[in-house]
Amino acid sequence: MTPYERLMAEQWPTGRFGRDAPVQRRPLPPLPVRPPERRPIRPWTPEEQAQHFAELEAALSTWQDPTPAANRKREYHRVHACRAAGPRHLRLVPPHAQDSRRPGAEVA
């Protein structure tokens, strides 16, 4: 008899396949041992913070992504930064009192 036939032969299907006792499961593994308490961390002095910041800044300021995609992005931004340097999209608008296009505007 197949397991399916045994399950279907039960009056009330319980998943035990005709056995009286439930399936024995393996015991759970023991919980891990808690690590020892850590000692408190000493705060950095301002001199240590300045030294650490200087080291990070020196390492990060000279690094460049050497991939071709990064080179294309750098070239794109270099070209478009030159174009955006001038205020080509701005135009001067006369003050409200001198605007002759608006009806009712009076020159003072």
Side-chain angles (χ1 to χ4, degrees), residues 86-95 99 101:
R88 299 169 63 163
H89 64 283
L90 297 177
R91 63 184 177 90
L92 294 176
V93 178
D99 191 357
R101 292 176 293 159

Side-chain angles (χ1 to χ4, degrees), residues 15 26-27 37-38 43-45 50 54 60 62 66 68 77 89 92 94-95 101:
R26 290 182 295 191
E37 293 294 324
R38 296 182 182 179
W44 286 17
T45 63
L60 292 174
T62 59
H77 289 296
H89 64 283
L92 294 176
R101 292 176 293 159

Side-chain angles (χ1 to χ4, degrees), residues 31-52:
L31 293 174
V33 178
R34 175 179 267 180
E37 293 294 324
R38 296 182 182 179
R39 60 183 171 85
I41 298 174
R42 177 184 61 84
W44 286 17
T45 63
E47 294 81 20
E48 290 173 330
Q49 291 177 6
Q51 176 65 27
H52 183 69

Side-chain angles (χ1 to χ4, degrees), residues 11-75:
Q11 183 177 6
W12 300 101
T14 60
R16 295 183 187 163
F17 298 102
R19 290 181 287 202
D20 292 333
V23 177
Q24 295 295 322
R25 298 181 191 257
R26 290 182 295 191
L28 293 174
L31 293 174
V33 178
R34 175 179 267 180
E37 293 294 324
R38 296 182 182 179
R39 60 183 171 85
I41 298 174
R42 177 184 61 84
W44 286 17
T45 63
E47 294 81 20
E48 290 173 330
Q49 291 177 6
Q51 176 65 27
H52 183 69
F53 180 77
E55 291 171 2
L56 286 174
E57 183 64 27
L60 292 174
S61 65
T62 59
W63 184 83
Q64 243 186 6
D65 188 1
T67 61
N71 291 333
R72 284 192 306 272
K73 285 182 184 177
R74 272 193 291 281
E75 181 63 22

